[in-house]
Amino acid sequence: MSDNTHDAIIVGAGVCGIYMLYRLLNLGLKVKVLEAADGPGGTWHWNRYPGARFDSESYTYGYSFSKELLEEWDWSEHFAAQPETLRYLNYVVDKFSLRDHMEFDTRIKSAQFDEASNQWLITSDTGEQYRSTYFCTAIGMLSAATLPRIQGTSDFLGESYHTYYWPKEPVDLENKRVAVIGTGATGVQVIGAIAEQVKQLTVFQRRPNWCAPLHNAPISEGEMQKIKSSYDEIFAKCQSTASGFIHSHDTRSVKEVPTEEKHAFWNKLYNSPGFGVWVGNFKDVLVDPEANAEYSDFIANKIRERVKDPITAEKLIPKDHGFGTRRVPLETRYYEAYNLDHVRLVDITENPIECIEAKGVKTAQELMEFDVIIYATGFDAITGAFDRIDITGVDGIKLADKWKDGPITCFGVQVAGFPNMFMLAGPQGASVASNFPPAIEAAVDWAADFMEQLYKEGVDRVEADADAESEWQEYVKSFYETSLLAGTQSWFTGYNSNVEGHDKLRHMIYLGGAPAYRRILSEAADNGYPQFKTR
């Protein structure tokens, strides 16, 4: 093989790409990771904005595949901040000697399947070309950042940043007039982190989100030792829950629990760390509209208790969806930020942004001057990173064309018409809708085992069967009929007002739970992968 011809090319050096590289190198394959950034880390390389941190427990986010790694690494907080997570991923890369197999500052422009050789021809934006039998995508479900469709974003003369592209150099916000546009999970973290240090903070909100306290805390040396001795139990717990977190739902329904007991339980959830407030609730909160409405009222009252101004509090309470039917941002001092005299909330449904001007933001009512504008306007989620690469399969079919109305996959791993392409954290797989590292470990292990078998059998082409793909589509859609998430506009369901055409339901995620997904993959392997064609 030439230097640019490999058994496998992995695109992306984040949590997923790192582990796939480790697995394939251990199989003795020639593998290269191509990464757009100047170092590994993926999400945790790019997102350096103030307040960026886990909202899943640190010790469930780390890799589980190496006992030695688990013993060596100490987490400093229950929910680690971005710098610590990036140090961890670099530590993993160097511990397992993976860096030499990574090529940085390499953004992929196109990937084309060559039917004559059964190889992928991958081209970077500089024109460099690579060939590989397998094209493995580890490009991230939240990696295609989007700016708002507001006129004049380039006209602003002050500093402006999208949170995803936050610079490595420190950004001085002290005594600055700052605008934050967006109140999704990222905006919530930024606002809570910077509110007390800036001179003036104006938050532009289109739709409020239901948020709950993170309750972060340091991990003492004694706690870390206890965690290390309990890793088997911790990961077993994650394997057993639908969400992949350590939080399991209560088997009771809302209606069968007396009010006083129910509120005591909800208060306990609200005052506990992590996602228990979302996925550790009564079994019917995310499927029964009445149960969800009752819990949403409980959380709404928590917001009213924390925000002093009743008018502002009501603006921060969602009226268009129930708690947990969109991704729940976990926050630290977010609601308390609005109690500060220099913090203002602008509801852009009442006072729309007309444009960005040289000095600031012009709304229908006024021109507001700023020194810094922070765009916390999110991502073209899940499929956006795929759309930004010109991916061509057999007979010249474009992945973007096949997916124009939403993703079509088999198990979220392969696509009919695109042989030898393995999506390691793609749409309609479990990693999108559950705790990411445990889910991607399962997907990577399955894909690596499948590729190992193909090599042993001398097979150099594998492709999802079209009928199996159709069956998976119907299976994925079936969960949308019972989940309240399907009726809510969010990136879970394919909506994004900043992306043209993303104004309708698309079946982006698999909602059947991580354990069931692993069983499906395992059964496919045990039965000889009948959903896939080889030649």
Side-chain angles (χ1 to χ4, degrees), residues 28 53 64 118 172 179-180 290 344 408 460 491 506 532:
R53 65 172 63 248
S64 66
N118 286 330
D172 182 12
V180 175
E290 290 185 11
R344 176 185 177 187
I408 302 170
D460 61 2
W491 62 265
R506 293 180 295 149
F532 302 88

Side-chain angles (χ1 to χ4, degrees), residues 81-270:
Q82 177 269 336
E84 181 173 2
T85 310
L86 186 57
R87 286 195 301 272
Y88 168 75
L89 293 173
N90 274 278
Y91 180 85
V92 173
V93 166
D94 292 331
K95 175 179 175 59
F96 297 106
S97 303
L98 304 178
R99 198 174 297 268
D100 287 345
H101 302 276
M102 296 177 169
E103 190 168 313
F104 302 114
D105 297 307
T106 304
R107 187 175 294 277
I108 300 308
K109 179 182 178 181
S110 67
Q112 182 175 4
F113 186 70
D114 178 12
E115 296 186 63
S117 64
N118 286 330
Q119 290 182 323
W120 281 90
L121 177 63
I122 298 163
T123 306
S124 76
D125 59 1
T126 64
E128 187 78 10
Q129 292 193 320
Y130 310 81
R131 281 189 172 271
S132 66
T133 302
Y134 293 103
F135 170 45
C136 303
T137 64
I139 51 183
M141 59 183 178
L142 296 175
S143 62
T146 56
L147 285 170
R149 292 197 282 178
I150 301 172
Q151 183 180 349
T153 53
S154 61
D155 295 337
F156 181 59
L157 296 180
E159 301 172 65
S160 62
Y161 308 98
H162 189 288
T163 51
Y164 185 70
Y165 296 115
W166 199 266
K168 291 182 180 180
E169 304 76 21
V171 176
D172 182 12
L173 299 176
E174 195 79 26
N175 294 318
K176 299 284 182 67
R177 299 167 300 171
V178 179
V180 175
I181 299 177
T183 54
T186 299
V188 165
Q189 287 188 326
V190 169
I191 292 160
I194 71 172
E196 294 185 357
Q197 72 180 89
V198 302
K199 178 181 180 180
Q200 172 191 314
L201 176 61
T202 304
V203 177
F204 293 90
Q205 173 184 269
R206 181 184 59 200
R207 300 171 66 203
N209 277 286
W210 294 102
C211 307
L214 178 65
H215 296 301
N216 191 25
I219 296 177
S220 68
E221 184 177 345
E223 283 180 299
M224 194 65 234
Q225 290 307 311
K226 185 176 180 181
I227 289 168
K228 287 181 178 180
S229 67
S230 305
Y231 267 130
D232 287 346
E233 292 84 358
I234 289 169
F235 289 124
K237 179 67 172 178
C238 291
Q239 293 282 310
S240 71
T241 64
S243 63
F245 295 105
I246 58 173
H247 312 281
S248 53
H249 70 268
D250 191 295
T251 56
R252 298 171 294 173
S253 66
V254 169
K255 293 178 182 178
E256 69 184 71
V257 181
T259 300
E260 186 175 342
E261 183 180 348
K262 180 165 44 190
H263 282 209
F265 175 64
W266 282 343
N267 274 308
K268 180 180 179 182
L269 289 182
Y270 195 81

Side-chain angles (χ1 to χ4, degrees), residues 14-17 41-44 54-56 60-63 89 137-142 243-245 275 424-426 429-444 514:
V15 175
C16 186
T43 287
W44 303 105
F54 288 150
D55 46 18
S56 55
T60 71
Y61 196 95
Y63 295 110
L89 293 173
T137 64
I139 51 183
M141 59 183 178
L142 296 175
S243 63
F245 295 105
F275 273 133
L424 305 175
S431 62
V432 178
S434 64
N435 190 11
F436 189 69
I440 68 99
E441 281 191 301
V444 165

Side-chain angles (χ1 to χ4, degrees), residues 343-356:
V343 177
R344 176 185 177 187
L345 177 66
V346 176
D347 183 344
I348 65 171
T349 63
E350 299 174 354
N351 185 14
I353 296 174
E354 293 186 346
C355 64
I356 308 294

